[in-house]
């Protein structure tokens, strides 16, 4: 067995042992090597930044990372070398790819639509299992799509690759039995729901504006899609759903604190935003809320804003302090909204991602706990 084949089989074995990869996907995972989708130069996230890996300099490390359980960054800043260092395309983490395909529950002959081709590994796996003619994948970035098309040449089954906006689905191939998005959304595109057959399944990473993220497994019924979250996720956002925050001056034209009301809280603001699950719950309950943090020596200030540009709040975090100064301004009390939802969540026993679910109907997104009728407390307004 070659080094590549050995590394490949070991990864598939590990994924199966973990339960992420179901036995029905094993053959496809063995048939489509992950290294085929990787450029010579890529990056993987580490605890203190990104590790750069160049195959020409270190082929052993390159192969090791290709078959590790790490997401591999293949593009920064939408391909513009502008120094922002935002990862904008990647080959997803194997555990995540396997578990999302498990959630997708494809059956023989199902037609599948994928949004967010990236370098193409997930689409290649789908085509291997479903047959090339049953898989359509849509990528917004023409350079990324061209690279995916080149990568697909090494495969037996080549999916239809479309350069376009995944928010539009792909009407010429509709209706689909299954849909899978591999970039995160905070609003599920209605066109995508509309192109899935009744009782079809749509799997997607849902990431509220406030933070956190989880995979949703939605069952489609007409224009409505509803279902549970199946586990935590962290995906790049669908391009047009990135949020361009207005300048702080739009909220606070003069000097801080303006006329803001002063209060104190014993809930640590960083305890909320540094907790992926807590942030997710806040974001589900208050979808129009976002924050920025400003670190200044001994103190970190959390700034909260609403997208309607009506209100703001600040909370000062000082390490070791038992209470934190809050300022709130505008018709809404944004920190109070955060506190209310966090206290509700704590009182409910800190339920995990899998106990939450989402209903999307007529453009409205309603999050629930355990049952669709058990809506999250709405603290807005
Ligand atoms: C995490 S990568 C996809 C991973 C990939 N499916 C795999 O097999 O590992 C996300 C991709 O979504 C693409 N994307 C972002 N917004 C998009 C949109 N509106 N329509 C289509 N693709 C989009 C990005 O360019 C990026 O290539």
């Amino acid at each position: 067995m070659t080094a590549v084949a050995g590394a490949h089989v070991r990864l598939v074995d590990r994924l199966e042992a973990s339960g992420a990869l179901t036995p029905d996907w094993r053959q496809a995972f063995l048939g489509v090597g992950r290294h085929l989708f990787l450029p010579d130069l890529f990056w993987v996230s580490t605890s203190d930044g990104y590790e750069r890996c160049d195959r020409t300099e270190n082929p052993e490390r390159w192969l090791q990372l290709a078959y590790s359980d790490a997401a591999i960054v293949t593009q920064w800043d939408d391909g513009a070398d502008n120094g922002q260092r935002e990862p904008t395309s990647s080959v997803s983490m194997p555990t995540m790819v396997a578990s999302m395909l498990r959630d997708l529950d494809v059956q023989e002959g199902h037609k599948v639509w994928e949004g967010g081709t990236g370098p193409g590994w997930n689409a290649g796996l789908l085509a291997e299992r479903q047959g090339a003619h049953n898989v359509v994948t849509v990528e917004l970035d023409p350079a990324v799509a061209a690279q995916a098309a080149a990568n697909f040449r090494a495969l037996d089954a080549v999916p239809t690759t479309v350069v376009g906006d995944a928010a539009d689905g792909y009407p010429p191939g509709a209706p689909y039995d299954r849909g899978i998005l591999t970039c995160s959304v905070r609003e599920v595109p209605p066109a995508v729901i509309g192109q899935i057959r009744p009782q079809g399944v749509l799997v997607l990473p849902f990431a509220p504006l406030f933070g956190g993220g989880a995979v949703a497994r939605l069952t489609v019924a007409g224009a409505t899609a509803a279902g549970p979250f199946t586990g935590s996720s962290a995906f790049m956002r669908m391009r047009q759903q990135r949020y361009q925050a207005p300048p702080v001056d739009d909220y606070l034209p003069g000097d801080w604190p303006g006329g803001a009301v002063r209060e104190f809280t014993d809930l640590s603001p960083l305890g909320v935003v540094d907790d992926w699950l807590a942030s997710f719950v806040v974001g589900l309950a208050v979808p129009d809320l976002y924050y920025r943090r400003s670190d200044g020596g001994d103190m970190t200030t959390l700034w909260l804003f609403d997208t309607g540009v009506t209100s703001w709040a600040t909370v000062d975090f000082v390490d070791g302090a038992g209470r934190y100064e809050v300022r709130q301004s505008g018709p809404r009390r944004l920190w109070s909204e955060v506190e209310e939802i966090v206290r509700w969540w704590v009182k409910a026993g800190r339920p995990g991602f899998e106990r939450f679910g989402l209903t999307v109907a007529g453009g409205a997104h309603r999050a629930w706990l355990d049952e669709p009728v058990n809506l999250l407390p709405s603290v807005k307004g």
Side-chain angles (χ1 to χ4, degrees):
M1 198 185 278
T2 62
V4 176
H8 187 172
V9 172
R10 281 194 298 280
L11 174 64
V12 174
D13 286 346
R14 280 201 308 274
L15 291 173
E16 203 171 345
S18 75
L21 182 73
T22 45
D24 56 333
W25 273 104
R26 186 177 170 87
Q27 266 322 103
F29 270 72
L30 286 174
V32 177
R34 191 179 190 233
H35 69 283
L36 300 172
F37 298 88
L38 296 174
D40 281 352
L41 179 62
F42 61 61
W43 294 261
V44 292
S45 172
T46 63
S47 52
D48 57 354
Y50 281 92
E51 176 183 343
R52 176 185 181 279
C53 183
D54 188 334
R55 186 186 208 168
T56 59
E57 291 165 8
N58 193 343
E60 292 81 21
R61 182 68 178 148
W62 189 92
L63 183 62
Q64 186 187 32
L65 289 172
Y67 285 100
S68 70
D69 197 24
I72 292 183
V73 175
T74 52
Q75 187 198 59
W76 301 95
D77 307 326
D78 300 326
D81 201 6
N82 62 12
Q84 298 274 309
R85 291 301 266 182
E86 263 306 308
T88 49
S89 193
S90 66
V91 176
S92 302
M93 185 185 177
T95 298
M96 189 52 64
V97 171
S99 59
M100 285 177 73
L101 289 173
R102 176 196 64 204
D103 293 346
L104 197 61
D105 186 29
V106 287
Q107 306 295 321
E108 201 179 333
H110 271 172
K111 277 174 73 178
V112 185
W113 170 89
E114 182 200 39
T117 314
W121 185 39
N122 191 56
L125 290 164
L126 280 162
E128 172 79 6
R129 172 144 181 202
Q130 296 305 109
H133 57 287
N134 279 323
V135 180
V136 176
T137 179
V138 181
E139 168 62 49
L140 188 68
D141 188 310
V144 173
Q147 189 54 57
N151 296 339
F152 290 145
R153 281 190 218 121
L155 307 185
D156 295 331
V158 176
T160 302
T161 310
V162 177
V163 179
D165 186 348
D168 299 333
Y170 182 61
Y176 303 97
D177 302 286
R178 298 288 184 264
I180 181 167
L181 260 180
T182 59
C183 47
S184 66
V185 289
R186 52 193 167 89
E187 287 172 15
V188 183
V192 172
I193 297 176
Q195 291 170 34
I196 309 278
R197 277 186 207 287
Q199 297 314 306
V201 171
L202 178 58
V203 171
L204 53 88
F206 190 77
L209 189 58
F210 191 78
V215 171
R217 184 185 189 280
L218 308 178
T219 302
V220 172
T224 301
F229 293 102
T230 62
S232 169
S233 65
F235 270 83
M236 295 160 189
R237 214 175 259 293
M238 184 179 258
R239 250 192 229 191
Q240 64 276 46
Q241 293 200 16
R242 296 172 191 161
Y243 184 64
Q244 291 293 339
V248 174
D249 276 2
D250 287 6
Y251 292 86
L252 174 60
D255 288 335
W256 182 90
V261 176
R262 183 172 182 239
E263 294 157 54
F264 288 89
T265 179
D266 61 3
L267 180 66
S268 160
L270 297 194
V272 177
V273 298
D274 287 345
D275 181 329
W276 195 246
L277 174 57
S279 312
F280 180 68
V281 175
V282 171
L284 282 182
V286 198
D288 65 345
L289 184 67
Y290 67 97
Y291 73 87
R292 297 287 177 264
R293 59 199 280 175
S294 94
D295 292 300
D298 296 341
M299 192 168 79
T300 299
T301 300
L302 194 77
W303 286 79
L304 299 167
F305 305 99
D306 64 334
T307 59
V309 199
T310 72
S311 307
W312 61 268
T314 56
V315 193
D316 293 334
F317 174 84
V318 179
D319 206 8
R323 60 180 210 147
Y324 312 94
E325 188 177 318
V326 180
R327 302 274 180 165
Q328 307 203 74
S329 176
R332 288 172 63 183
R333 294 285 179 258
L334 298 181
W335 175 253
S336 305
E337 293 186 18
V338 171
E339 272 207 55
E340 192 179 331
I341 188 71
V342 171
R343 295 199 192 285
W344 165 85
W345 174 64
V346 170
K347 197 166 168 221
R350 298 176 186 263
F353 293 100
E354 293 84 353
R355 286 199 39 207
F356 289 93
L358 184 70
T359 300
V360 188
H365 294 63
R366 281 170 295 144
W368 35 268
L369 180 68
D370 296 327
E371 299 289 335
V373 288
N374 194 15
L375 295 177
L376 259 59
S378 173
V379 289
K380 185 182 160 185

